[in-house]
Structure formats: C-alpha cells, structure tokens
Amino acid sequence: MAPATPLHDEEDHAARDAAWVDVDPASLPAGERAAYFAYLTSSASGYPPFREAFGAHRNVPPGEKIEGLDEEVVLRVLRLYEVVRGTDAALEGAARGWLVDRFAFFRDRHARGDNAPRHLEAAGAYTQWLAGALPTLTERERQRLAAAAFRSRTDQSFPGLDRLAFGLAVVDEWRAAGHPFVGSGIFDDVVCPPVRGRDGRFTRSGSCTSTSNGFYLWVLEHPGQDALFARALDARDDAALATAFFVALARSSTRGYMDMVHRLDPEKSSFRAAVDVLATNPSDPRLADRASDLWRAYPARRGDAFFLLAARAAWLKRDGSVTWENFWNDFDRRYGAPVDASMFSQMLDRGPSAFVLVPTAWKVLGPRSKRIDVLVAHADAALGDATQPEAGPQLRALSEIVTRLCGERSAAKDLAKLHAYLAGRVERRPDEAPALSILVRDTAPSGCKARGAR
C-alpha cells in the first residue's frame, strides 16, 4: 500500500497511483483512508491527481475528457462512506458533506438528459444513499442541500429527493421546537419565521430567501406542489406556520397570494392567518379588491372580507384620503347584502385587531348586525386586562362607539346594553374600575350629557 504521506509529496505519486487507482476502500488500512479520500476529491474541477491516474489506467490520452469520471468518484466515495460509517466520525462527516454537495451535479445532469449507463448507476446509488443519510445530516449540510434542491430556475425533476417532504420535515422540526424566532440556520432558510410587534407589523430576525430562491418559491413555481402544500398547511392547522408562509409571500411578491388563499379550507387556521396577513398591509390599494374577491368566493365567511374592508377604510381615514368619505357609500347595493350579525361576529372573532376597527365601520352596522349584542359578546376577549397599556386602543374604540351612540336619537337601548356590560365587568373585576369609569358614567341614563350630546 502507498504510505500515508501528504499528497503534494511527488515522490509518492507513482506508488500511490498504483495502489489506489482501482483499490476497494474496504481493503485500505484505517490510517490511509483519509488520504485516499483527499486523493479522490482534492479538486472540484477534475479530481487530480486521481484524474490523471484513472485516465492512464483506462488508456485515455492526456487532455481528453474521461467519460464517467465524476460518477466513478461518487461511487468510490459512497463505498468509502459505508466502510468508515460508525468507526471514523471525522472521515464519515467529511465524506457525507462532500456527497451532499454532489446533489447539484446529479440535478444538472438529469436536466440535460444524461442516460449513460454509468451515470444512471451512480445516480441510483446516490439516491439510495441520500434517502438513508438524510436524517443524519447536520444543519449546515441540510442548508446546503436545501440551496441545491430548491434553487429557482433549475430543473427540479431529479428524483433523488422528495423536495416537498424535505421542506415539510424542516417545517415540522420548527413546529416541534416551539416555533422559534431565529436569526440563522435551516429554519430561517426554509420557514422564514416572523414575529408580530405591538404595532401589528411583522418583522424577521434575518434575511429570507425562501420565496426568492428557496422552498416557498419552489412550491409556487412547480405544478401541483402549491396544492399539495396547501393541503399540508390545512392538515397541520398551524396559524404560526401559515403566517410565516404568507408574510414571506407578501413581502417578496404578490404573485400567487390569492391563488394560495383559495386553495385553503376557509374553516382552518391557515386561511385565517392568510387574511390576517393581508390586513397588516392596509395601505395596499388592492386590499379592497381582495376583500371583494373573498366576499364573492366565501358567502359563509364574509366577516373575513368585512374585516379587510374595515382595515382599508381605517387606513384611508388616517391617511386623510378623500376616498374615505365615500368608502362605505351604497355598501348594500355594491356588495349585494348588508352586514349581518354573523358577518360582524366573524370579524370580531379576530380579536383586538378587529375590535379597534369597529368605529371606522360603524356606518354600515345597521339593525341586522345586532351591533351591541355582538360587540358585548366579544368585548371580554378583545379587552383582555383593561388595566394594562395593551388595552388602550380597545378602550379608545369603545369610547368612540359611545360618542357615536350618543349622537344617535334611537340608540338608548344600545347604550343601556353597553352600560349593563361595563357595570357588570367592573363588578366582576373591581381593579378595572378606574379604566372603565368614564365609559360606565357616559353609558348610564343621561350620561351622554357629559359628551355634549342629548
């Protein structure tokens, strides 16, 4: 056998080539295996010195292309990996990492239609290896594999990896870890987890390539995968996961957003999350059109569309747009139905973010909406702890609602219902009395006088 000396030692080249050019790795002494691995893989551009030795061994003239050389190296490294697995952790890891990086080679050759017998043999062996090795890959190796597997604008038909299953395995690992908000790693590359601040906006801890050159883009660009991914979202019924996907999609491109929404079960949390993400961007002039799309497509879920319309109206009002003045005009005629109690309740099911929009949408909350009955039914969940600063926007919304009721001649019953709720809440939670005292006073009989009304 050739001595285990550095590869640059010219004196050992001939002995090494003679010993290693056709050797079975299983027959190598343990001390020579690392040098043999370096001998095979020392250059990504052609594996010298092995290239020269193999060419001479196969009688290929110097400088000519050696057919099947890359496949030969892969097959030999696969054999070496099996020999050292479980006995040499360092060499096993080096071989595994090198093999992971060969995915792009097989992907690109498959795209070119390489059907040479040696290539097909190597591709089959590699595919079998990858299936078994996948659970053992390090995070860095999985990141490199993901970069090659999901890269945009390359052929994705090489059957060496079930890409959807690979991506969803990362997704499920993230879910099992408790939906961490991380700054790097495979979770950030594949899932792109966001976090929502107190202002309602979503932020991420780092860059996200999943919708521009990664898993999410692959899902959207390859026929049939979008429908399978939508089913996976519904099956998991995980709002945090759906939020991550739709935030990433909305930030990188609007392409396919509503198509994906329509693939979801409207009764699942994924659909709800997709609508919530839309509502966080009320400055988008397309929001009203998207709300109209949902209104038409899901008659039983029109509260979702109403929520988006209210979000858009609130933004127009804050922005001082003249459009705001006419936003709700002829609502019943334009949409074919008034807002009823079911729609209003569905809207408020979304919690504080919807509750604070009620004053903006007040104009279309007619008798059929049972506005105060529905409002009171959702008030406890929306307010949370009225003593905390987080309840401020909801308390201000309630105050504006009281002002509007005080300005309506026929709102005495509604004011009485709201007063009964507020007084009962203070009785149940005395610590909230200071926060609710003005609302309790102004909803009582003759309480509107304090607001300069009636």
Side-chain angles (χ1 to χ4, degrees):
M1 293 295 173
T5 52
L7 292 179
H8 62 263
D9 190 342
E10 297 295 332
E11 294 180 2
D12 296 319
H13 282 186
R16 178 198 54 208
D17 291 344
W20 288 351
V21 70
D22 244 355
V23 72
D24 181 350
S27 67
L28 286 172
E32 294 185 12
R33 290 168 183 166
Y36 176 69
F37 174 68
Y39 173 69
L40 292 174
T41 65
S42 59
S43 172
S45 62
Y47 317 108
F50 175 66
R51 168 177 286 278
E52 296 175 6
F54 185 74
H57 184 67
R58 296 295 175 90
N59 298 315
V60 178
E64 287 193 15
K65 182 179 179 181
I66 305 173
E67 294 294 338
L69 176 67
D70 295 309
E71 289 82 356
E72 181 73 25
V73 175
V74 169
L75 287 167
R76 292 193 182 206
V77 174
L78 285 171
R79 175 66 173 145
L80 178 64
Y81 178 85
E82 291 302 320
V83 169
V84 303
R85 186 172 59 171
T87 63
D88 186 335
L91 185 52
E92 179 184 349
R96 186 181 60 243
W98 185 88
L99 287 166
V100 165
D101 291 339
R102 304 284 76 73
F103 185 89
F105 164 75
F106 286 105
R107 178 201 65 204
D108 294 344
R109 288 291 179 91
H110 186 80
R112 294 200 293 268
D114 192 337
N115 291 315
R118 192 62 167 166
H119 176 77
L120 296 178
E121 178 189 357
Y126 180 80
T127 296
Q128 184 175 0
W129 170 83
L130 184 59
L134 199 57
T136 71
L137 301 186
T138 66
E139 180 174 346
R140 181 58 185 151
E141 288 164 353
R142 287 192 298 161
Q143 284 183 275
R144 299 204 305 264
L145 180 60
F150 299 127
R151 194 176 69 186
S152 178
R153 292 172 295 280
T154 59
D155 181 82
Q156 301 291 341
S157 60
F158 172 56
L161 178 69
D162 184 335
R163 290 165 175 79
L164 184 63
F166 176 44
L168 290 176
V170 175
V171 162
D172 289 337
E173 185 179 342
W174 174 74
R175 295 173 63 231
H179 308 95
F181 177 60
V182 293
S184 62
I186 190 71
F187 293 160
D188 212 39
D189 289 349
V190 173
V191 184
C192 301
V195 65
R196 191 170 190 173
R198 290 185 178 181
D199 61 357
R201 297 178 181 273
F202 288 105
T203 59
R204 281 196 298 263
S205 62
S207 62
C208 168
T209 62
S210 194
T211 50
S212 60
N213 202 22
F215 178 51
Y216 292 156
L217 182 64
W218 177 83
V219 163
L220 295 168
E221 283 199 339
H222 292 85
Q225 300 304 321
D226 49 359
L228 292 174
F229 185 68
R231 286 183 212 162
L233 287 177
D234 280 340
R236 285 156 178 78
D237 205 16
D238 186 329
L241 170 60
T243 296
F245 171 70
F246 283 104
V247 167
L249 183 56
R251 285 194 167 191
S252 66
S253 169
T254 56
R255 175 187 53 194
Y257 195 105
M258 293 306 294
D259 289 339
M260 286 301 297
V261 172
H262 289 311
R263 292 186 182 280
L264 299 172
D265 182 339
E267 299 302 324
K268 296 281 190 175
S269 60
S270 299
F271 184 92
R272 176 189 176 101
V275 175
D276 281 340
V277 171
L278 284 176
T280 63
N281 189 23
S283 62
D284 188 341
R286 293 164 299 184
L287 188 59
D289 290 336
R290 288 176 166 177
S292 298
D293 181 359
L294 295 177
W295 181 279
R296 291 189 299 269
Y298 307 101
R301 296 288 316 171
R302 284 179 171 167
D304 298 323
F306 184 45
F307 171 57
L308 295 182
L309 290 170
R312 177 63 177 166
W315 184 86
L316 290 172
K317 184 178 181 181
R318 288 194 304 271
D319 193 51
S321 170
V322 294
T323 309
W324 150 250
E325 296 297 333
N326 301 315
F327 187 85
W328 297 112
N329 286 355
D330 300 322
F331 180 89
D332 295 6
R333 179 186 60 79
R334 287 189 291 122
Y335 286 91
V339 176
D340 60 23
S342 175
M343 295 180 208
F344 189 32
S345 182
Q346 285 174 359
M347 172 190 171
L348 294 186
D349 283 343
R350 293 182 172 276
S353 62
F355 195 88
V356 298
L357 298 174
V358 174
T360 306
W362 193 259
K363 184 175 181 178
V364 291
L365 294 176
R368 287 188 58 179
S369 71
K370 298 184 179 179
R371 54 190 185 178
I372 297 302
D373 295 320
V374 173
L375 191 76
V376 164
H378 289 80
D380 276 351
L383 282 175
D385 185 346
T387 68
Q388 298 302 307
E390 290 80 6
Q394 295 89 284
L395 291 174
R396 288 190 290 274
L398 273 177
S399 182
E400 188 172 346
I401 290 168
V402 171
T403 298
R404 289 175 178 270
L405 287 171
C406 285
E408 297 177 10
R409 293 184 179 275
S410 59
K413 289 183 178 180
D414 283 346
L415 279 166
K417 290 178 180 179
L418 189 53
H419 177 77
Y421 163 72
L422 293 166
R425 178 164 174 133
V426 169
E427 185 176 346
R428 298 191 311 272
R429 307 176 67 164
D431 60 319
E432 292 186 345
L436 300 176
S437 61
I438 293 176
L439 290 170
V440 172
R441 180 198 68 189
D442 292 354
T443 55
S446 301
C448 288
K449 292 178 180 179
R451 300 194 176 218
R454 289 197 270 180

